[in-house]
Amino acid sequence: MSAFLTQNEEESRSPLVPAEIFRINAARENVLSRLLMLYISTGLFFMLLPGTFLGVWNLLAISSSHAATTVMPTWIQAHGHAQIFGWIGTFILGIGFYSLPKLRRAHPFEMSVAWATWGLWTAGVTLRWLTNVYQWHWRALLPLSAALELAAFVIFFRTISGHRPQDSGKEKVGEWIFVVIAGSVGLLLTLLVNLGAALFLALTGTSPEVPAGFDQSFLVLQTWGFLVPFVWGFSAKWLPTFLGLRPVRGRVLLLAVALNSLGVLAAFLNRSPVAALFLLAGITFAVYALGLFQLPERPPKIRGAHISFPSFVRIAYVWALVAAGLGIWAASVIRPQGIWGASRHALTAGFLATMVFAIGQRVLPAFAGRSLFSTKLMFVAMLVLTAGCLLRVSSEILAYQGFFRPAWSWLPLSAVTEMIAVSLFAINLFLSFARRPPSVSA
C-alpha cells in the first residue's frame, strides 16, 4: 500500500511512464473503494440490527399494551442513536473520506487516519448501544462512548479542514460547501452536547436515560441541526445533475440554513412554536432553492438507478414539509405525544431514509467501482419504505392521540414493513459490493 500512497515523493524525484501512473492510480482507487465499503457495510449493520430490529421490538411491545411507557426509554434512545449515528453518521464519514481529494495523494499516516476514525466511531456507537440496553457499568461506559465518538469526529474534521484543493486558483466555492459545513458544525455541537449529557448523567443520574424534556430538544439538534443540512448540501451538489434541475439558488439555500439554525436554537430555548415556524420556513426555502418542483432543464440522469429515482427524491422532500407541518400542530396542542412522534418519523424515515435509499443506491456502488445489483430491488425498497412510513405516521397520530384505537394494531405492521424495506436496501448494496469490479486495462 505504501508504495503507491507515497506517489508525490516518487513523482518529485523521477518521472513515471503513463502505465506506471495508471497502475498507481488504480491501486489507490481500489484501497479507497475498500475503505468506503467498510464504512457503508458498518452503517448497514447498525441500521439493520441495533437500529431497525430493536425499533421493531420496541414498537411491538408498545402496540400490545397500547402505551409507550411499556418500553424502557433507554431502549428507544438506543434505537435512535444507532440509526442516526451508527447508520447515517457512518455513511457520512465514509463518503467524506472517500470524496476527499487529499486522500488520493495521501501518505500512509493520512490513510491510517481514516481507519482509526472508523475504529473509534464504531466502538463509540457500539458501546453506547450496549450501555443503553444492558446498563452495565453505565456511569463509566456512557461518557466513554460519547468521548470515542467525539474523538473520531475531531480526527475526521481536522483531516477535512486541513485539506486545500490543488490548482483551485480563484474558483468560486459553491454554496453547497457552506451548507455541508453547517451540517458539520451541527454534528460537532451534537457530539459535544452528547458528551456533556453523558457526563451529567454519570455524575448525577440514576440511569443512562436522557430526560424526556431535554431529549426532545436534543433530537431537534440531531435531526434538523445535523442531518438535514448535510442532505441539503449534497442535494445542491448532486440533484441538479441527477434530476436535470435548474441551477440552485445559492443565496436562498443559505437563507434556508440560517432559518433552520434559528429553529434549532429556539427548540433549545424551549420555544417550540417559534422553533416549528422557523423549521417550516427553512425547509420551504430549501425546496424553492433546489427547484425540485419546477420544470427541469434537462432529462434526469438515471443510468444505474431505477426510473422512479427522481420521483422518490421529491417524495422525500414532501415528507420533510409534512414533518415541519406536524411540528407546528404538535406545538399548538396540549397532549402532542403522538404528533411529535409522527413528525420525527416523517423526518427520519420519510425524508432522511428515503433520500439515503434514493441517493445511496445511485452513487455508492459507483463510488465503490461497482454497478447497482438490481434497479428493480431499488424501486421495491423505496416503495415499501414509503408505504411503511405512511402507515407509521398516520397510526401514531390516530393511536397515541386517541382518535382511532384500532390504529394501535397498525403500528407493528408499519414496523415490519419498514424492516422489510431496509433489509432490501441493505441486500441490494451488499450484493452490489460483492460484484467484481469491471476490469480496466492500461
Side-chain angles (χ1 to χ4, degrees), residues 95-114:
I95 293 172
F97 275 124
Y98 176 83
S99 303
L100 185 62
K102 182 179 180 180
L103 281 180
R104 284 163 168 72
R105 293 177 176 269
H107 296 291
F109 172 76
E110 292 169 331
M111 185 63 74
S112 68
V113 163

Side-chain angles (χ1 to χ4, degrees), residues 10 76 137 177 205 267-268 280 308 334 340 353 399:
E10 294 179 13
I76 297 176
H137 292 293
I177 290 288
F268 260 88
L280 178 60
S308 64
I334 298 176
W340 277 128

Side-chain angles (χ1 to χ4, degrees), residues 59-60 62-66 391 395-396 398-400 404-416:
L59 210 55
L60 289 173
I62 290 172
S63 175
S64 64
S65 62
H66 292 194
L391 190 59
S395 61
E396 273 203 276
L398 295 173
Y400 282 71
F404 187 61
R405 288 187 62 82
W408 284 105
S409 62
W410 301 356
L411 287 171
L413 179 59
S414 71
V416 173

Side-chain angles (χ1 to χ4, degrees), residues 276-316:
L277 288 172
F278 273 123
L279 295 177
L280 178 60
I283 184 61
T284 302
F285 276 105
V287 169
Y288 173 72
L290 295 171
L292 285 168
F293 299 101
Q294 297 177 342
L295 289 176
E297 280 189 338
R298 304 169 302 280
K301 293 186 177 181
I302 58 175
R303 183 179 179 182
H306 194 268
I307 191 173
S308 64
F309 159 69
S311 298
F312 279 101
V313 169
R314 292 182 172 90
I315 289 172

